[in-house]
C-alpha cells in the first residue's frame, strides 16, 4: 500500500528489500528475485549497499534452490 501511494519515495527500495527477504525466507524464490531486482533497478537504491546485498541474495536463491533439488534427487535415489 505504501508503494502505491508513495511510488517516488526514496525509501521504496528498502521496502522491496524487506519484502524480498521475506519471500526468500518463505522459499518463494521467484518472487524474491523479482523484489531484489527492483531494489537493484530503483533510482534511489541503485549503487547502494542494499543493492549490492540484493545481488548477492539473488545468487543465493539460485544456489539454495539448486541444493534443494540435489537433495530431492538423493532422497529419490534412496527409495
Amino acid at each position: 500500500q505504501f508503494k502505491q501511494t508513495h511510488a517516488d519515495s526514496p525509501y521504496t527500495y528498502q521496502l522491496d528489500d524487506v519484502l524480498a527477504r521475506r519471500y526468500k525466507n518463505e522459499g518463494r524464490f521467484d518472487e524474491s528475485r523479482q523484489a531484489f531486482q527492483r531494489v537493484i533497478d530503483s533510482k534511489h537504491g541503485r549503487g547502494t549497499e542494499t543493492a549490492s546485498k540484493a545481488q548477492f541474495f539473488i545468487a543465493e536463491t539460485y544456489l539454495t534452490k539448486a541444493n534443494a533439488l540435489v537433495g530431492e534427487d538423493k532422497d529419490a535415489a534412496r527409495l
Side-chain angles (χ1 to χ4, degrees):
Q1 191 175 19
F2 177 85
K3 286 176 61 173
Q4 293 173 348
T5 57
H6 300 90
D8 292 331
S9 170
Y11 303 106
T12 303
Y13 79 94
Q14 293 175 335
L15 180 63
D16 281 327
D17 180 59
V18 171
L19 187 62
R21 289 173 189 245
R22 173 184 165 201
Y23 289 152
K24 179 178 161 283
N25 290 337
E26 292 174 352
R28 297 164 61 182
F29 299 123
D30 292 334
E31 293 164 289
S32 176
R33 286 190 285 269
Q34 290 171 1
F36 280 130
Q37 191 62 51
R38 286 194 302 270
V39 172
I40 296 165
D41 294 340
S42 75
K43 177 173 67 172
H44 298 289
R46 190 176 313 135
T48 64
E49 183 177 347
T50 303
S52 297
K53 288 180 182 180
Q55 289 179 319
F56 172 81
F57 285 130
I58 287 172
E60 189 176 57
T61 63
Y62 283 110
L63 182 62
T64 301
K65 190 171 184 177
N67 286 342
L69 293 174
V70 168
E72 287 176 10
D73 287 345
K74 288 181 181 178
D75 290 341
R78 285 187 221 154
L79 298 176

